[in-house]
Amino acid sequence: MQVSLGLVNYSEYHGHLPYPSVRIASPAWSEESVPPDGTGRPTYSWRVELVSYLESWHGTWDPSLPWYDPTNKQLKVFSSFYAYGLPGPKDLSQTFPETNLVAIKGPGTAFGDGLTQPRALKDIPPRTILVVETRASGIPWPAPGDFDFSTMPRTINAPDGKGISSRTSGGFHVIFADGQVWFLSVRTPFETLEQFFTIANAEKHDREILLGPYALHQGP
């Protein structure tokens, strides 16, 4: 819920959602790292962009540097918002845990393709899915990395946990564009869930009709 509220507040303040990956111009590019739009190298994810919207914080970090730079180790105090089993700030010498929340990105999604400015939440269907849960992302939470809807695993609670999944028995969480967080049954068909990944499809479908039967909790 805190991440959901952070996204809502970010969109209201900036007039759009954060980019999936924040890119900073740097002369130190290698040919392999030059992004398609040529604007800069990816340095951290939208999850880092939300840190000032999650709670009051008086630490310091340098957004001109990559997430893994030692200067930005204080970001580790926010690990509990994105990773399992972390009830509070951890030792700053520890590594960043992997994220259990990933955005749905790609052409036509709320977060977009990463090259054009994402949409504002007020301008998209409230039933559009922004973020889903995964228990085995393999992505350090500040690092760029999300699910592209066209290439992501088309699974719900697969044994390897690589796709949409959760450590919570029986269900998984999703965040919608209206700020609602639903806990959906693992019986939810992927083909039904994906109808809400893109703005165009979300406009056509009723979430209560298609996803309501699989909702174990709808909040708030």
Side-chain angles (χ1 to χ4, degrees):
M1 281 306 307
Q2 287 171 295
V3 173
S4 173
L5 183 60
L7 287 167
V8 170
N9 290 338
Y10 185 99
S11 178
E12 289 179 353
Y13 183 80
H14 292 275
H16 60 84
L17 285 168
Y19 282 82
S21 299
V22 177
R23 299 176 184 271
I24 302 297
S26 169
W29 290 339
S30 67
E31 286 299 321
E32 298 79 32
S33 65
V34 176
D37 62 351
T39 59
R41 62 194 171 107
T43 56
Y44 53 88
S45 79
W46 64 271
R47 292 175 287 270
V48 178
E49 282 284 83
L50 289 194
V51 295
S52 61
Y53 295 86
L54 296 177
E55 66 178 24
S56 178
W57 184 53
H58 302 290
T60 58
W61 69 289
D62 187 342
S64 70
L65 296 173
W67 63 274
Y68 51 80
D69 190 277
T71 302
N72 291 332
K73 66 181 181 180
Q74 285 200 38
L75 288 173
K76 291 175 184 175
V77 302
F78 285 88
S79 295
S80 59
F81 287 98
Y82 298 109
Y84 291 132
L86 296 169
K90 310 299 283 187
D91 184 344
L92 296 185
S93 66
Q94 295 183 4
T95 59
F96 284 103
E98 67 180 26
T99 183
N100 300 120
L101 295 179
V102 292
I104 299 295
K105 67 177 185 178
T109 65
F111 277 88
D113 59 8
L115 306 180
T116 56
Q117 181 173 287
R119 304 277 291 273
L121 291 180
K122 65 180 181 60
D123 296 329
I124 65 176
R127 50 196 175 273
T128 308
I129 290 178
L130 306 179
V131 174
V132 296
E133 185 178 7
T134 181
R135 71 173 182 271
S137 70
I139 304 165
W141 76 259
D146 292 288
F147 281 164
D148 187 303
F149 82 95
S150 63
T151 60
M152 66 182 289
R154 298 176 59 82
T155 59
I156 301 290
N157 203 36
D160 64 5
K162 298 293 186 182
I164 296 173
S165 56
S166 174
R167 288 188 184 178
T168 305
S169 176
F172 60 93
H173 293 90
V174 300
I175 297 176
F176 290 98
D178 61 358
Q180 288 201 34
V181 178
W182 284 24
F183 184 60
L184 295 170
S185 168
V186 294
R187 297 186 179 89
T188 307
F190 184 90
E191 295 74 17
T192 301
L193 191 69
E194 70 173 337
Q195 298 305 315
F196 300 90
F197 287 171
T198 64
I199 294 169
N201 277 342
E203 288 178 335
K204 301 175 185 176
H205 299 291
D206 188 312
R207 130 181 106 182
E208 290 290 346
I209 293 175
L210 293 186
L211 296 179
Y214 301 102
L216 302 178
H217 179 74
Q218 301 175 17

